[in-house]
Amino acid sequence: MIGTDLINIERIKKAVESEYFLINTFSKNEIEYAKSRKDYFESLAGIFAAKEAVLKATGTGIVDLRLNKIEILHNEKGQPYHRLNSDKLVNVSISHDSGFAIAVAMII
């Protein structure tokens, strides 16, 4: 299964002005990861797009608005992924350009 999502980085920048949105969308690890990157908002937008892509790949849609339950992790090479359960990984690819972030998720 494959899922994809595209998000305007400015939209995330405005949304994270709300602490409620930030806490209920991103895990502490994701926030710390984004803070360590060159562009905080670009990184958050990429992670957000990845979460949406994971939802689409699993076919669950948005059933729980607490997206912080879907955590985007990074391996030792910096490649993003999501652990669906103990048996399944979701490979994720994130890219940014011209004010947008896009992510593709593929369940393997």
Side-chain angles (χ1 to χ4, degrees):
M1 301 283 289
I2 296 175
T4 188
D5 192 66
L6 175 72
I7 185 79
N8 185 299
I9 296 168
E10 193 64 32
R11 182 174 164 210
I12 292 298
K13 187 175 183 177
K14 289 178 184 173
V16 298
E17 290 175 0
S18 163
E19 187 75 16
Y20 179 83
F21 176 83
L22 187 66
I23 292 170
N24 286 290
T25 304
F26 301 99
S27 72
K28 290 180 182 180
N29 290 334
E30 291 167 335
I31 293 168
E32 289 305 312
Y33 175 83
K35 285 180 180 177
S36 75
R37 307 301 295 168
K38 183 177 91 174
D39 189 322
Y40 174 67
F41 297 110
E42 183 178 270
S43 294
L44 286 180
I47 292 168
F48 182 88
K51 290 171 178 274
E52 293 280 329
V54 167
L55 285 173
K56 292 172 183 176
T58 61
T60 60
I62 299 179
V63 295
D64 182 2
L65 293 179
R66 294 187 54 119
L67 290 175
N68 64 354
K69 301 298 181 196
I70 298 170
E71 187 170 39
I72 303 302
L73 305 165
H74 294 82
N75 70 16
E76 63 281 348
K77 295 180 181 179
Q79 297 166 318
Y81 70 95
H82 171 69
R83 182 165 298 284
L84 194 56
N85 57 41
S86 62
D87 296 352
K88 290 193 177 187
L89 289 180
V90 180
N91 282 345
V92 177
S93 179
I94 300 172
S95 188
H96 315 88
D97 190 30
S98 301
F100 289 90
I102 189 168
V104 176
M106 183 173 77
I107 299 174
I108 57 172

